[in-house]
Amino acid sequence: MFYQLNWPTDGKYAECYPENPAYVYDGVERCPFCQRIVEGKHWAHPRTLRITNSRYADFLFTTPYPAVSERFKRLYEASGLTGILSFDPIENYRLRKNAPDSPRYFTIKSIRSKMKIDYTHSDITWLSPHEHRCDLCDPFGRCISDIKKSTLYDSNYDGSDVFRLYETGDATYLSEDFVKFVKENHLTNLGLRPLPDMQQRIIIR
């Protein structure tokens, strides 16, 4: 079973936002088949993160990145889980007045899997067709608007616990072992959408 990382919306923990960010195309990932860019621009250094309140968690959410705590980083690196290629540090923090110091946070980069969506057994809403088409990153020549149900072909699954697909940009997918690891270590504020039923919402406290 797989899960898609999702932004918790119940407001229990702080949210975060890049403060006056600069975004660059340097090093962005491209589809190996058609060379089309398959991820958003990178948040350039030095980076400042605005955190909305002092209810700090191990996962803080912003667009397009989740920020993960140094505690998560340490536990993940000792866990034997796979898929995260790098932890990119956030250097500066803008906090509420009189708030205690926040944990140190990082953005992550995960592998790009060649697993593909099984469209026959999925329920997807599409935007209008466009000229580009690629068997790996854009097989129907359309952008996805909404996914109610998503099933993946697992023939190309390499066992990674954190990964992205060429077809779905920056969306991050997680294995059942990863979710178990989060629960066992009492890591906080992980939002999930289980596959195949993408209309469900789960929040791990």
Side-chain angles (χ1 to χ4, degrees):
M1 183 174 185
F2 299 109
Y3 301 81
Q4 188 183 92
L5 188 66
N6 186 60
W7 189 328
T9 56
D10 64 345
K12 180 175 181 179
Y13 291 101
E15 294 179 357
C16 61
Y17 305 92
E19 178 89 353
N20 298 321
Y23 294 106
V24 296
Y25 280 110
D26 295 350
V28 295
E29 192 170 3
R30 294 179 179 270
C31 173
F33 285 16
C34 70
Q35 294 303 304
R36 178 174 175 250
I37 292 174
V38 292
E39 66 178 350
K41 292 185 286 186
H42 293 172
W43 184 10
H45 291 271
R47 307 190 293 177
T48 299
L49 190 70
R50 177 184 288 273
I51 302 178
T52 57
N53 58 57
S54 59
R55 296 192 298 272
Y56 307 128
D58 292 297
F59 298 90
L60 292 184
F61 285 81
T62 183
T63 303
Y65 305 97
V68 301
S69 68
E70 192 162 24
R71 184 170 84 102
F72 167 80
K73 178 178 182 292
R74 173 175 51 81
L75 290 168
Y76 174 87
E77 290 174 337
S79 70
L81 296 173
T82 61
I84 295 179
L85 299 174
S86 62
F87 290 88
D88 201 6
I90 298 170
E91 297 92 343
N92 306 301
Y93 301 90
R94 182 68 59 86
L95 309 177
R96 295 284 294 272
K97 185 178 181 180
N98 299 322
D101 289 344
S102 72
R104 190 180 183 208
Y105 285 98
F106 301 79
T107 56
I108 62 172
K109 182 175 183 178
S110 58
I111 70 154
R112 187 76 61 174
S113 172
K114 289 188 178 179
M115 291 176 68
K116 300 186 72 175
I117 297 172
D118 177 358
Y119 292 99
T120 302
H121 297 97
S122 300
D123 184 358
I124 295 174
T125 302
W126 300 93
L127 298 175
S128 299
H130 49 243
E131 292 184 1
H132 178 268
R133 186 182 180 282
C134 171
D135 287 343
L136 181 60
C137 73
D138 192 3
F140 288 95
R142 295 184 177 191
C143 292
I144 294 172
S145 173
D146 183 51
I147 302 178
K148 293 181 179 178
K149 179 180 178 182
S150 180
T151 302
L152 304 181
Y153 288 115
D154 59 7
S155 57
N156 289 326
Y157 181 50
D158 65 359
S160 295
D161 298 292
V162 185
F163 60 92
R164 295 170 295 164
L165 304 178
Y166 284 98
E167 294 167 288
T168 53
D170 284 313
T172 299
Y173 297 84
L174 308 170
S175 71
E176 200 154 14
D177 284 344
F178 182 92
V179 174
K180 181 180 177 182
F181 154 79
V182 169
K183 292 178 178 178
E184 289 178 345
N185 287 281
H186 306 289
L187 296 164
T188 52
N189 203 38
L190 179 66
L192 302 168
R193 299 173 73 185
L195 277 63
D197 184 3
M198 299 284 284
Q199 297 185 87
Q200 293 187 56
R201 300 291 189 273
I202 299 170
I203 303 176
I204 299 176
R205 298 296 179 199

